[in-house]
Amino acid sequence: MTIGVLGLQGAVREHVKSLDALGVPTRVVKSTADLDGLSGLILPGGESTAIALLGENGVFDRLRRLAAEGLPMFGTCAGMILLARDVEGRAAAPLGAIDITVARNASGRQVHSFETTLAIDGIGDDVPAVFIRAPYITRVGAGVRVLARHAGVPVMATEGRILVASFHPELTEDLRVHRYFVETVCGLRREGERG
Ligand code: GLN
């Protein structure tokens, strides 16, 4: 079992660290060859425009196919923008793997970034979440389940094997969101774990 972390730009190391803490083997993905044999993939936060440009090396073409084939993926912040079907004010959506529309930088400028706790369905009532120039979900398709809201606005959602969050769980010590991705979305149990 290996979970990939897309390593083109952004908060790559932090996701690797969270998965390490859970005892999950990881691989940083920079090229199409790195995508072989993964059980899941995390698309980190950063700058979605930069990641999208760097992904034109063939990685995004492969990711579109892998998402259609059912590879579990978790996009945080910029990663959520990349996985969304539509991005407000932009002609083409990068991957279109989950039927949502997102608005970029909806929580304001960098200076308005903030930390809070969220009630997340199936995870907990007090999950710490760091928002940094976060995108918000402005439309949710019929097949999409909203897992968390902030100020009434959806900030975490899932459809099939795709999970997205507006915030950065990897910037906290709390591992519950990563565990949810590994165990519930990817359907993996770590070695030696019971029940
Ligand atoms: N605002 C960034 C973007 O549009 C996302 C910010 C983040 O990932 N922390 O890509």
Side-chain angles (χ1 to χ4, degrees):
M1 170 227 300
T2 302
I3 301 286
V5 179
L6 187 64
L8 299 174
Q9 190 264 341
V12 181
R13 264 177 319 165
E14 291 81 354
H15 278 292
V16 170
K17 204 168 144 238
S18 298
L19 293 169
D20 278 351
L22 285 172
V24 175
T26 58
R27 185 193 305 150
V28 174
V29 170
K30 288 180 188 281
S31 67
T32 50
D34 300 328
L35 285 164
D36 289 340
L38 294 178
S39 303
L41 178 73
I42 293 181
L43 293 89
E47 197 50 50
S48 56
T49 45
I51 301 172
L53 273 177
L54 293 165
E56 283 174 15
N57 64 353
V59 166
F60 272 40
D61 287 336
R62 264 298 282 291
L63 287 187
R64 265 179 227 112
R65 275 209 304 280
L66 288 170
E69 287 166 20
L71 180 71
M73 296 187 192
F74 177 25
T76 59
C77 206
M80 171 169 101
I81 297 170
L82 298 170
L83 286 171
R85 171 99 11 112
D86 296 302
V87 182
E88 285 186 11
R90 188 184 286 175
L95 295 173
I98 179 167
D99 188 16
I100 58 171
T101 302
V102 299
R104 291 182 64 205
N105 302 328
S107 71
R109 288 139 45 90
Q110 193 91 34
V111 68
H112 294 135
S113 299
F114 60 94
E115 190 165 349
T116 187
T117 54
L118 297 173
I120 305 179
D121 201 13
I123 297 184
D125 286 338
D126 56 349
V127 184
V130 179
F131 288 80
I132 304 171
R133 291 173 59 225
Y136 278 171
I137 300 170
T138 56
R139 182 193 61 86
V140 173
V144 175
R145 193 155 68 93
V146 173
L147 298 175
R149 293 173 188 271
H150 179 258
V153 178
V155 291
M156 186 170 182
T158 185
E159 181 181 32
R161 303 193 117 196
I162 305 291
L163 179 69
V164 292
S166 296
F167 54 91
H168 291 263
E170 79 287 3
L171 299 183
T172 74
E173 300 293 312
D174 197 301
L175 300 172
R176 283 178 288 174
V177 172
H178 285 83
R179 183 178 294 130
Y180 179 85
F181 176 61
V182 171
E183 294 183 355
T184 305
V185 182
C186 299
L188 300 172
R189 286 253 159 223
R190 281 156 294 136
E191 217 162 298
E193 206 181 54
R194 270 175 282 238

